[in-house]
């Protein structure tokens, strides 16, 4: 890819949020948030290409949070970070508009591969039109 993706990590759990931010910060422009409202405020100034949503956030706020983010950040691909690709919260996120799942335990390669795959599929390279929402995929480690 010729440019870095702008990635938002929205995760209530500070340890997971920090780990994801650390993994992504070397290759991508990365911003971390504990609350969706903070991410939406930042998105008004600088829209993300990919959004990682932690399952703890879905557990706290409901899967509708993914649908709301997909609607408001419609150019961004959404990835759910969950305990497994078959976890009910992760599957609920897919039904609400997420494109992929990253299963814990998270790894450097797994996280960067998921972000770069979603980024490439969305056609977010400069000069390319937005691609249609693709069939959700599951990405583990």
């Amino acid at each position: 890819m010729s440019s870095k993706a702008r990635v938002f990590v929205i995760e209530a759990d500070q340890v997971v949020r920090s780990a994801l931010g650390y993994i992504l910060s070397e290759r991508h422009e990365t911003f971390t948030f504990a609350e969706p409202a903070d991410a939406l405020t930042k998105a008004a100034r600088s829209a993300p290409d990919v959004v990682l949503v932690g399952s703890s956030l879905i557990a706290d706020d409901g899967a509708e949070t993914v649908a709301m983010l997909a609607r408001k950040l419609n150019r961004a691909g959404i990835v759910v970070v969950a305990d497994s690709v078959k976890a009910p919260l992760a599957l609920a996120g897919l039904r609400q508009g997420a494109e992929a799942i990253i299963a814990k335990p998270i790894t450097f390669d797994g996280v960067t591969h998921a972000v770069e795959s979603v980024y490439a599929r969305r056609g977010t390279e400069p000069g390319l039109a937005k691609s249609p929402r693709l069939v959700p995929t599951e990405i583990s480690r």
Side-chain angles (χ1 to χ4, degrees), residues 50-137:
V50 179
V51 178
L52 275 61
V53 178
S55 60
S56 66
L57 185 72
I58 297 171
D60 292 344
D61 297 345
E64 300 78 25
T65 301
V66 174
M68 179 271 298
L69 290 168
R71 210 173 34 256
K72 292 187 176 194
L73 304 172
N74 64 351
R75 290 199 48 90
I78 297 179
V79 179
V80 174
V81 181
D83 291 333
S84 79
V85 295
K86 296 182 187 215
L89 292 174
L91 297 174
L94 286 178
R95 288 190 296 277
Q96 294 293 327
E99 295 182 25
I101 297 168
I102 298 172
K104 295 177 186 175
I106 58 173
T107 64
F108 182 88
D109 290 339
V111 172
T112 56
H113 173 73
V115 167
E116 290 167 5
S117 294
V118 168
Y119 181 54
R121 286 194 323 242
R122 302 247 349 136
T124 52
E125 286 284 314
L128 294 179
K130 179 184 169 197
S131 62
R133 195 167 286 282
L134 300 171
V135 176
T137 59

